[in-house]
Amino acid sequence: MTETRTDFCIVGGGPAGLTLALLLLRSGARVTVVEKLRSLEREYRGEILQPGGQRLLDALGVLKGARARGCHEHDRFLLEEKGRILINGDYRRLPGPFNCLLSIPQRHILEELLEQCSRYPGFAHLGSARCSALISDTRQRVRGILGRGPDGDLMVHAHCVIGADGRYSKVRQLAGVGYDRFEDFDQDVLWFKLTSEGPVPSDVRIFRAGGNPVLAYASHPGHLQIGWTLPHGRYKELAAQGLDHIKARLGAAVPDQAERIDAEITSFRDLSLLDVFSGVAREWTRPGLLLIGDSAHTHGPIGAQGINLAIQDAVAAHPALLSSLHGGEDGSEPLRRYVTGRRRDVQRIMKIQAMQGKMMLSAGGLASVVRPKMAAVVSRTPAYRAVLDRLAFGNREIVVREELFRPAAAT
């Protein structure tokens, strides 16, 4: 068995985990990241980065390098119905410099984060490794993890274990933390990519041309990413009718792309189903344990909040974790204060997302007629501008605490 001693063991090497790792490393802490996946590919996940996330990654010195790997800027978020724009979320009217939606492969952000983390001698990245148990002391304080990697069993001793391992968090499960799942959207999303030629579209769109609403935006390097919404739990029934049936339905939903759909979707592997739901862990912290990102709170795709909130979680948790490390044997109080404030932020966003889902994705019945029209009216009010600002920037008081960094820590 391989044993490692560290200050913080982060389970999950996604945006939340690696952002937090870099913050802690720059503050002189030792960090071990345990990641189950072999590569940094994150297909069909969190490719839209809101201005708030861009601002924080820029302050951390990560955004420039991530952008250089390839991305697309989008000017607006549009809700359309039969050629009529119901909602025009114009991001260029927001205060700069990060007044756009950024379509960027998650891999590009993770590559830059991992490259910068690797410059620190206190960093260890255990790839292709899975957490199988939590280590606790006689007082039930979490003291580390047990797991298995490519070279066999491993044990990581840590002051605190951070679960950043996604919506189906293994850490949350091992800790026995309850989770409340909410079916706010009553929709699943079938994602697929098509090749795209010519000028890059500058809008993120949800269009309602009849039938189920469709999400679409340009994805780097030269693709159009499309999400076809369908009633929750109906995909198996559709798939049972064969790939040609699904392609016909997709072609009818996105008629201007029907030829490409027919040519480029050649197997079920070209499609990815996202089970759309929101949810919240009943506890985000226990002595020696903290949950962040999707492990603590899960969000649907409307409003592009998942990666944004994950990065904000990491930045907000950074000073709390340092206080915990240097605050004595327990050190739980700083984490409890972090959770109290962060829950309020997340609850605000979840309420907005639930409202957006009902207004934008309603399909069938009177609601599919009335709610989009209500959305069009609301979008012209000052209240909507406040909502757009909240979606774009989140809690503006969350800032990178550069005064906690130790400049000489890198090698």
Side-chain angles (χ1 to χ4, degrees):
M1 176 179 288
T2 302
E3 288 195 48
T4 302
R5 295 190 179 275
T6 189
D7 295 318
F8 298 101
C9 176
I10 300 175
V11 180
L18 287 183
T19 298
L20 181 58
L22 184 55
L23 287 159
L24 294 170
L25 289 162
R26 287 191 174 173
S27 303
R30 299 170 298 166
V31 180
T32 295
V33 172
V34 178
E35 168 56 49
K36 68 179 180 180
L37 297 181
R38 294 182 180 181
S39 76
L40 296 179
E41 293 291 345
R42 301 292 197 277
E43 284 292 328
Y44 304 108
R45 300 187 192 178
E47 288 196 355
I48 296 292
L49 186 59
Q50 292 276 3
Q54 297 174 51
R55 175 178 65 88
L56 294 176
L57 289 179
D58 182 68
L60 194 52
V62 169
L63 185 63
K64 182 177 180 181
R67 284 183 59 113
R69 288 173 161 85
C71 62
H72 294 313
E73 289 188 4
H74 294 301
D75 301 332
R76 301 181 299 172
F77 166 81
L78 301 178
L79 174 65
E80 303 177 40
E81 186 172 55
K82 299 178 181 178
R84 176 190 174 196
I85 296 176
L86 301 180
I87 293 179
N88 180 356
D90 190 345
Y91 275 68
R92 295 303 184 186
R93 294 185 178 181
L94 296 172
F98 308 111
N99 54 342
C100 69
L101 290 164
L102 191 66
S103 173
I104 183 167
Q106 198 172 111
R107 181 187 74 253
H108 292 181
I109 297 174
L110 300 182
E111 285 174 346
E112 184 67 20
L113 285 166
L114 188 56
E115 179 180 304
Q116 294 200 29
C117 286
S118 298
R119 299 172 187 172
Y120 291 82
F123 179 63
H125 184 265
L126 307 180
S128 300
R130 293 178 178 270
C131 173
S132 58
L134 300 177
I135 303 171
S136 300
D137 61 19
T138 55
R139 294 182 297 169
Q140 299 306 304
R141 176 186 172 85
V142 176
R143 291 295 191 180
I145 70 157
L146 296 173
R148 187 169 181 82
D151 300 322
D153 294 337
L154 58 89
M155 177 183 293
V156 181
H157 302 275
H159 162 74
C160 185
V161 172
I162 296 98
D165 52 337
R167 54 170 53 191
Y168 304 112
S169 171
K170 182 68 172 180
V171 171
R172 188 179 68 219
Q173 176 187 333
L174 292 171
V177 172
Y179 181 82
D180 294 317
R181 171 172 167 146
F182 309 116
E183 306 291 351
D184 290 331
F185 305 100
D186 199 30
Q187 300 279 339
D188 293 331
V189 179
L190 191 65
W191 287 107
F192 58 96
K193 287 184 179 180
L194 303 174
T195 57
S196 179
E197 299 175 355
V200 176
S202 61
D203 301 322
V204 175
R205 303 166 60 202
I206 294 182
F207 53 96
R208 305 171 55 90
N212 299 331
V214 176
L215 299 81
Y217 61 87
S219 174
H220 183 84
H223 293 92
L224 184 67
Q225 180 147 312
I226 297 177
W228 180 54
T229 64
L230 64 161
H232 184 61
R234 290 285 304 279
Y235 180 66
K236 286 185 178 180
E237 176 185 328
L238 290 171
Q241 299 179 61
L243 184 63
D244 288 341
H245 175 75
I246 290 181
K247 289 166 65 172
R249 293 287 301 273
L250 294 175
V254 197
D256 59 333
Q257 298 295 330
E259 290 186 8
R260 279 204 170 96
I261 289 171
D262 187 58
E264 297 180 16
I265 297 178
T266 59
S267 76
F268 283 102
R269 290 189 298 273
D270 296 322
L271 305 171
S272 179
L273 183 70
L274 176 64
D275 180 12
V276 177
F277 63 91
S278 62
V280 179
R282 294 173 190 169
E283 299 174 77
W284 293 8
T285 188
R286 289 179 179 176
L289 177 68
L290 179 67
L291 302 178
I292 65 171
D294 277 356
S295 301
H297 45 85
T298 306
H299 304 266
I302 298 300
Q305 289 299 305
I307 186 172
N308 215 48
L309 290 170
I311 292 168
Q312 290 175 353
D313 278 5
V315 173
H318 163 228
L321 285 164
L322 290 178
S323 295
S324 172
L325 178 64
H326 302 302
E329 181 66 18
D330 190 323
S332 295
E333 184 55 33
L335 300 184
R336 286 193 288 265
R337 290 197 298 269
Y338 155 78
V339 168
T340 298
R342 198 67 190 122
R343 273 188 181 274
R344 287 196 295 267
D345 293 337
V346 169
Q347 286 169 353
R348 291 188 185 108
I349 293 296
M350 294 185 86
K351 287 179 180 178
I352 292 173
Q353 283 192 299
M355 176 185 69
Q356 284 183 309
K358 291 176 181 178
M359 287 187 170
M360 297 179 188
L361 300 184
S362 297
L366 183 62
S368 67
V369 177
V370 174
R371 286 173 175 168
K373 303 299 186 293
M374 290 174 58
V377 173
V378 171
S379 70
R380 297 176 176 85
T381 67
Y384 177 75
R385 289 192 287 273
V387 167
L388 182 61
D389 187 85
R390 171 65 66 171
L391 288 172
F393 292 100
N395 183 347
R396 291 175 180 267
E397 295 182 1
I398 296 175
V399 296
V400 173
R401 296 283 300 277
E402 297 182 45
E403 74 276 11
L404 300 176
F405 292 168
R406 295 183 184 178
T411 60

